[in-house]
Amino acid sequence: MPMMSTDAESILFSQARDWAAQDPDSATSAALSELVRQAESGVGAARQELADSFNGTLQFGTAGLRAALGPGPNRMNRVVVRRAAAGLAAFLSDAVGHASPGTRPRAVVGYDARHNSDIFAEETAAIFTAAGFETFLMPSALPTPLLAYAVRALDCDGGVMVTASHNPPQDNGYKVYLGRHAVEESGRGAQIVAPYDAGIAARIDAVGPLESIPLAPDGWTVLDPSIAADYQRATAALADPARFPSRDLRIVLTPMHGVGGKTAVAVLNEAGFSDVTLVAEQADPDPEFPTVSFPNPEEPGALDLALEAAVRVDADIVLANDPDADRAAVAAKDPDTDAWRMLRGDEVGALLGAHIVARLAAGGEEKPDGVLANSVVSSRLLSRIAAAAGYAHEETLTGFKWISRVPGLLYGYEEALGYCVAPDLVRDKDGISAAVLIAELAATAKAGGKTIFDTLDELYLQHGLHASDQLSIRVADLGLLDAMMNRLRVSPPDSFGSSAVETFVDLAEGTEHLPPTDGLLYVTRDQTRVIIRPSGTEPKLKCYLEVIKGVESAAELPEARQAARAALDQVLGDVREALGL
């Protein structure tokens, strides 16, 4: 790190000592005192860690808070969480008071099994209670979708889920939902969006000294475990055995050391899927995530143990949830290669969309009005499925906080393994309810002598082969993201994959259907689409590619797949060249 002036070092050490003195957590206080001692002794790594821990304040945004655990204002700890809870309480009090004067605010708090999640949740409940709220605390470490369910089931104005989802073990986070009087109807039970994030952040900034934040010694309600049973019953009831009766499906399930295993197995069993094998090594919650280098089903190697179990028990399908169970991954044996592979999020998104359309059509009643939706970076296949079935379709900004707000939503998904199959139940992505319908569509295919890959091929024959890929470029310096985006704006590419760019949209300027967001969208003459945007949560530039190949018969599919892969590879090369890589 650059050399720090003596004055700057003195200020840093003083800030750290003051923090250690006020920290209610003896462990982080002691760790900070030791870090200061080492830094003062000239240990470079300690000085770097200390400087980063006090390099500004962890910013509250539409993702709430998320960072590494540790002392200091730029980390997740009890001081930062207390301030966040106090600021959120002030925001909710104002919102409820304005919308319904005299009404007592209601809030529910949930948590996963990560380090300190239970402590952060209980202190949040204590602060809400001291602020005069009717406050509910989840009875144990439970999935994020269950918290989203509880916000609406308990008619709450706010909800907090203490989780870092699929982040590394050293991280934790604070996810905020609004409901009842705090937000318009379309956002009740959904994660926050602008301008609510800025309003909450301003109230957090206005919180006084730590000692001014009152914590009630008791007075909140620890919910009965029946809240989980209610969710399980409602989720299992999504299955439709009258119209899709087959339950002959051998499932391997992994909760990836997270909190979803018990709930997911209970829901699948109640829905009639009794042949479920849990990956033993990953079945129980473990905040260290010992068997995976990164607890995200999308990461290479994350599903290795599940795939080994699938081979061992001759499974039909692998289902995986991320640690807080709001995402779902699917793997199956590809008949083209006879090898197991994980399906892309866009493939599962199309399968679920088509299955939901089929469920609606199978009813025989008048077709319900409604909308199918996906994020702008997801495949265009769902829009074609919707149009063929006579449903409206919408594209939204990336993130379920936007997808879940689409009026009249019947189903929504994003390519990052997020699926909302029951928006009336959970207005967010839900990996457990998605798993139920994935199992149902896979069992239906099997009963017809097919695989889910055959079902996908049927969609391609009807709507064209949609093939997608991604390129993620991680940077050490966030300034490089701006530089790469500026390069594209100054010197826009005129073609991708030998096809001329016909449509170019700078998403930062907004469109008729989308509010402004930093991103660039290109569509070429042959309908190849490229979207390039900075990640909202990581120091990455993300590039989303999709090509479409028309097919007239099943015999053409193998050649179309090869052509699509070659086209994607060519487009990848063009994107790298355009970015100066």
Side-chain angles (χ1 to χ4, degrees):
M1 65 177 284
M3 290 297 292
M4 197 180 294
S5 72
T6 304
D7 286 347
E9 274 195 345
S10 177
I11 293 169
L12 175 63
F13 295 155
S14 176
Q15 287 176 328
R17 288 194 189 92
D18 289 346
W19 185 284
Q22 65 156 351
D23 194 336
D25 189 326
S26 59
T28 53
S29 176
L32 183 54
S33 297
E34 173 61 17
L35 201 61
V36 172
R37 187 194 67 75
Q38 291 182 18
E40 287 180 324
S41 301
V43 177
R47 195 175 298 172
Q48 170 81 58
E49 175 64 22
L50 194 62
D52 192 50
S53 298
F54 284 81
N55 181 25
T57 301
L58 192 59
Q59 291 302 299
F60 186 94
T62 52
L65 298 170
R66 200 175 288 186
L69 290 160
N74 201 30
R75 295 286 187 269
M76 282 294 294
N77 51 65
R78 286 167 67 182
V79 176
V80 166
V81 166
R82 285 187 185 187
R83 293 184 63 83
L88 177 57
F91 173 87
L92 289 172
S93 293
D94 287 350
V96 174
H98 178 75
S100 182
T103 300
R104 186 184 182 194
R106 291 162 66 96
V108 58
V109 184
Y111 57 98
D112 66 9
R114 285 177 178 266
H115 295 298
N116 278 11
S117 286
D118 54 346
I119 296 168
F120 294 163
E122 185 166 321
E123 293 206 341
T124 296
I127 288 166
F128 285 172
T129 302
F133 287 23
E134 184 178 6
T135 306
F136 306 99
L137 182 65
M138 283 294 188
S140 59
L142 289 164
T144 291
L146 222 154
L147 184 279
Y149 165 81
V151 171
R152 296 175 76 189
L154 301 174
D155 203 21
C156 288
D157 301 293
V160 170
M161 181 67 193
V162 182
T163 179
S165 189
H166 53 266
N167 275 39
Q170 65 269 23
D171 288 3
N172 214 326
Y174 203 79
K175 190 180 289 188
V176 174
Y177 295 76
L178 298 180
R180 198 172 64 156
H181 299 305
V183 71
E184 76 284 350
E185 198 285 328
S186 67
R188 289 175 191 158
Q191 294 180 51
I192 56 170
V193 294
Y196 301 105
D197 57 340
I200 296 169
R203 298 312 300 254
I204 294 171
D205 290 344
V207 171
L210 186 69
E211 60 269 18
S212 72
I213 302 171
L215 280 78
D218 51 41
W220 57 90
T221 299
V222 177
L223 289 166
D224 189 86
S226 62
I227 187 73
D230 291 346
Y231 166 84
Q232 289 170 15
R233 188 163 45 251
T235 305
L238 295 172
D240 191 352
R243 298 169 192 166
F244 301 94
S246 176
R247 293 294 179 265
D248 176 19
L249 193 71
R250 183 165 294 166
I251 301 168
V252 165
L253 174 73
T254 175
M256 204 81 56
H257 297 295
V259 293
K262 183 178 178 182
T263 303
V265 170
V267 168
L268 285 165
N269 288 169
E270 194 169 338
F273 296 97
S274 58
D275 194 349
V276 182
T277 299
L278 265 177
V279 177
E281 302 92 329
Q282 298 173 334
D284 296 323
D286 188 332
E288 291 299 319
F289 308 106
T291 68
V292 290
S293 56
F294 204 93
N296 180 352
E298 291 181 291
E299 293 292 321
L303 290 187
D304 285 358
L305 287 172
L307 295 178
E308 289 172 15
V311 171
R312 189 166 61 248
V313 304
D314 192 25
D316 296 304
I317 197 168
V318 167
L319 298 173
N321 292 127
D322 66 338
D324 70 331
D326 62 353
R327 287 175 168 84
V330 183
K333 189 181 288 188
D334 189 333
D336 285 347
T337 62
D338 204 36
W340 282 82
R341 78 164 176 90
M342 187 176 124
L343 279 73
R344 301 185 70 87
D346 281 324
E347 293 174 316
V348 178
L351 284 167
L352 278 170
H355 185 61
I356 284 170
V357 165
R359 284 164 56 98
L360 294 168
E365 309 103 9
E366 185 177 345
K367 190 182 75 171
D369 290 331
V371 180
L372 307 187
N374 54 260
S375 63
V376 67
V377 298
S378 300
S379 173
R380 290 163 287 179
L381 180 52
L382 185 65
S383 67
R384 297 190 175 191
I385 292 169
Y391 287 101
H393 175 267
E394 285 194 26
E395 282 187 337
T396 74
L397 295 183
T398 305
F400 256 87
K401 54 187 177 284
W402 299 109
I403 297 169
S404 63
R405 278 177 160 76
V406 170
L409 184 68
L410 293 171
Y411 165 68
Y413 94 94
E414 63 179 0
E415 46 69 43
L417 310 185
Y419 314 97
C420 178
V421 301
D424 290 340
L425 195 64
V426 174
R427 198 166 281 183
D428 196 9
K429 57 184 178 291
D430 181 352
I432 295 173
S433 58
V436 171
L437 295 200
I438 292 163
E440 184 175 81
L441 71 88
T444 300
K446 183 181 178 184
K450 299 183 294 190
T451 70
I452 56 175
F453 293 105
D454 296 320
T455 308
L456 260 179
D457 285 350
E458 290 169 0
L459 293 175
Y460 296 152
L461 287 171
Q462 186 177 358
H463 305 293
L465 172 65
H466 289 59
S468 58
D469 204 348
Q470 282 189 35
L471 174 65
S472 289
I473 302 147
R474 185 175 288 274
V475 297
D477 178 5
L478 288 174
L480 291 174
L481 296 180
D482 291 336
M484 285 190 281
M485 293 299 287
N486 287 337
R487 176 189 174 98
L488 291 172
R489 287 186 169 103
V490 171
S491 303
D494 55 16
S495 68
F496 287 104
S498 303
S499 182
V501 172
E502 286 196 333
T503 302
F504 166 68
V505 180
D506 189 339
L507 297 173
E509 297 173 3
T511 71
E512 182 184 352
H513 303 291
L514 294 174
T517 185
D518 192 8
L520 303 169
L521 182 153
Y522 310 86
V523 181
T524 72
R525 187 170 296 152
D526 69 359
Q527 294 303 299
T528 293
R529 188 188 66 182
V530 175
I531 299 175
I532 301 173
R533 59 179 283 270
S535 168
T537 56
E538 299 177 272
K540 282 182 178 178
L541 191 72
K542 302 193 80 171
C543 310
Y544 304 84
L545 288 55
E546 183 177 46
V547 299
I548 302 173
K549 299 291 181 184
V551 281
E552 298 295 329
S553 68
E556 296 177 18
L557 277 167
E559 186 178 342
R561 268 191 257 278
Q562 288 183 336
R565 183 65 258 171
L568 285 169
D569 288 341
Q570 188 177 355
V571 175
L572 279 168
D574 292 344
V575 170
R576 287 191 174 95
E577 184 178 343
L579 291 170
L581 299 177

